[in-house]
Amino acid sequence: EAQVTQNPRYLITVTGKKLTVTCSQNMNHEYMSWYRQDPGLGLRQIYYSMNVEVTDKGDVPEGYKVSRKEKRNFPLILESPSPNQTSLYFCASSLESGGTDTQYFGPGTRLTVL
Amino acid sequence: KNQVEQSPQSLIILEGKNCTLQCNYTVSPFSNLRWYKQDTGRGPVSLTIMTFSENTKSNGRYTATLDADTKQSSLHITASQLSDSASYICVVADNYGQNFVFGPGTRLSVLP
């Protein structure tokens, strides 16, 4: 089944404790992206990647890191999480960037930073 | 500043009725406009994608329109069903199709 998977789905952590949220897609997509969703604000793009080893900042990259060593994986890293990073996070992928390819979203990761 | 606005913020309709959701955007340059459906606690699912040259696109009971001159779009839902209860999100991609600006969504509730 074609899908985008994220792990973990739920995570409660404390300020400053490094964490990684994994994202994997099995559709051989080139474009992958991370978003956060907060009430009343809609989804905001954190980072995106057009292909392996190519990543770029989105609208809200502060406090986050990403890597794209393999085509299928695009982990989101929070080196020192803070309470303002408490949010619902979505990973998404599409065949290519720059066109009208459908973007497929993962199920989401709900992160709480205490 | 690139922005996408949606109205109404929320909407309640009875099963079987039609409804129309609105989207206004100021994203420039423009590549395409998308409508997504998001069920509570789940990731958004694509409904339609329209480029500058398209002014209408349908997906079953969902019909989206686009007026690129006025920078407005609408999503019309025909003969609503209980399963249509969800948030509907308007998204505009910039000229390069790499950056996406999301609207805040319209929360639709369909009652029996």
Side-chain angles (χ1 to χ4, degrees):
Chain A
E1 179 189 357
Q3 60 183 351
V4 178
T5 57
Q6 296 178 226
N7 282 293
R9 294 290 314 280
Y10 303 91
L11 179 60
I12 300 175
T13 189
V14 296
T15 299
K17 186 175 182 181
K18 181 180 178 179
L19 66 92
T20 299
V21 183
T22 65
C23 172
S24 182
Q25 49 90 7
N26 61 2
M27 296 170 277
N28 201 37
H29 284 172
E30 289 187 353
Y31 181 89
M32 297 186 74
S33 184
W34 275 103
Y35 301 90
R36 60 177 289 173
Q37 185 174 33
D38 301 292
L41 292 181
L43 280 86
R44 291 178 292 170
Q45 193 169 37
I46 303 172
Y47 270 95
Y48 63 93
S49 169
M50 290 187 288
N51 213 325
V52 175
E53 301 293 0
V54 180
T55 62
D56 276 297
K57 297 177 180 179
D59 295 324
V60 289
E62 295 77 20
Y64 304 94
K65 285 175 57 177
V66 293
S67 68
R68 188 89 182 274
K69 294 185 173 64
E70 307 166 280
K71 201 171 191 177
R72 65 183 294 128
N73 297 322
F74 190 45
L76 179 69
I77 303 158
L78 284 72
E79 294 270 4
S80 182
S82 62
N84 64 15
Q85 292 179 299
T86 292
S87 188
L88 180 59
Y89 291 87
F90 288 101
C91 179
S93 73
S94 62
L95 189 60
E96 293 180 348
S97 65
T100 56
D101 294 317
T102 298
Q103 205 169 156
Y104 296 88
F105 284 80
T109 295
R110 187 167 292 281
L111 172 65
T112 301
V113 183
L114 302 175
Chain B
K1 179 183 179 183
N2 288 337
Q3 275 189 313
V4 176
E5 298 176 341
Q6 293 186 243
S7 62
Q9 185 175 354
S10 62
L11 182 62
I12 300 174
I13 62 173
L14 294 177
E15 186 179 12
K17 297 297 186 182
N18 304 335
C19 68
T20 300
L21 314 180
Q22 301 291 342
C23 172
N24 297 325
Y25 62 93
T26 58
V27 178
S28 183
F30 171 91
S31 174
N32 57 77
L33 185 144
R34 303 157 183 243
W35 282 94
Y36 286 87
K37 177 186 179 187
Q38 185 178 23
D39 293 314
T40 302
R42 307 190 70 166
V45 174
S46 180
L47 294 175
T48 62
I49 302 174
M50 289 182 292
T51 62
F52 182 88
S53 59
E54 298 173 295
N55 56 23
T56 187
K57 184 163 279 190
S58 293
N59 178 0
R61 294 180 296 102
Y62 301 101
T63 299
T65 65
L66 172 64
D67 186 334
D69 291 330
T70 62
K71 297 187 178 181
Q72 295 180 325
S73 176
S74 66
L75 180 69
H76 185 75
I77 304 175
T78 304
S80 60
Q81 301 175 357
L82 298 178
S83 59
D84 291 332
S85 294
S87 287
Y88 291 85
I89 303 172
C90 177
V91 184
V92 179
D94 70 7
N95 188 45
Y96 304 103
Q98 296 163 6
N99 293 329
F100 296 90
V101 183
F102 286 72
T106 292
R107 178 71 200 171
L108 175 65
S109 298
V110 181
L111 302 181

